[in-house]
Amino acid sequence: MAQQLFKPSDLVHKVVFEKSKTDYNPVNGNPIIGYETLFTKWGAPKRRTITQQYQIAGTSLEDTIVIGVRHDERIIKGIGVFYDGVHYDIEDVSADDSNNYITYDLITVKEVKKNG
């Protein structure tokens, strides 16, 4: 039997899945970027080994983190994540669609950089 990635008691961080929406300031018409919550889950960070960090150095995944959550088919690329006070975009989803009773998805996310 394979070792589990997480125990359910490890999932202590609130992970908010969201999509961005643009409203406009009624006074001057400037765009205001906001976020709409789609759903929330409990998650935990997944640490990379030193070897894994060396392998992604210099790639587009260099400045990313990995978050583990219980499997959910609603988690797809194109939606955002609010985790630990920071907004992220989903770069990749490693979904566990096995027949196991408890399954986890690993979500690779990258911080949303503000313009200016």
Side-chain angles (χ1 to χ4, degrees):
M1 180 174 199
Q3 181 178 359
Q4 278 190 321
L5 290 173
F6 301 100
K7 298 183 301 273
S9 61
D10 292 339
L11 307 178
V12 296
H13 298 277
K14 188 174 185 179
V15 182
V16 179
F17 293 88
E18 59 193 9
K19 68 177 182 177
S20 62
K21 65 177 183 174
T22 304
D23 290 327
Y24 294 95
N25 186 329
V27 175
N28 58 15
N30 288 340
I32 301 169
I33 297 176
Y35 296 94
E36 178 182 343
T37 299
L38 300 173
F39 57 96
T40 61
K41 299 199 67 73
W42 292 101
K46 174 82 169 98
R47 302 211 185 271
R48 292 186 177 118
T49 64
I50 294 293
T51 303
Q52 290 171 333
Q53 289 178 7
Y54 287 147
Q55 288 174 340
I56 65 171
T59 69
S60 63
L61 297 176
E62 185 172 21
D63 296 326
T64 61
I65 63 171
V66 178
I67 303 169
V69 296
R70 290 285 303 267
H71 176 67
D72 192 325
E73 293 179 1
R74 299 176 292 178
I75 301 171
I76 57 172
K77 282 184 172 182
I79 61 175
V81 171
F82 184 71
Y83 172 76
D84 204 23
V86 180
H87 292 280
Y88 295 93
D89 283 331
I90 295 179
E91 295 289 313
D92 190 35
V93 178
S94 177
D96 183 356
D97 55 0
S98 66
N99 266 347
N100 295 333
Y101 179 67
I102 298 177
T103 57
Y104 298 96
D105 295 342
L106 296 178
I107 306 162
T108 304
V109 296
K110 188 173 215 171
E111 184 175 350
V112 175
K113 300 291 183 187
K114 294 181 181 173
N115 293 335

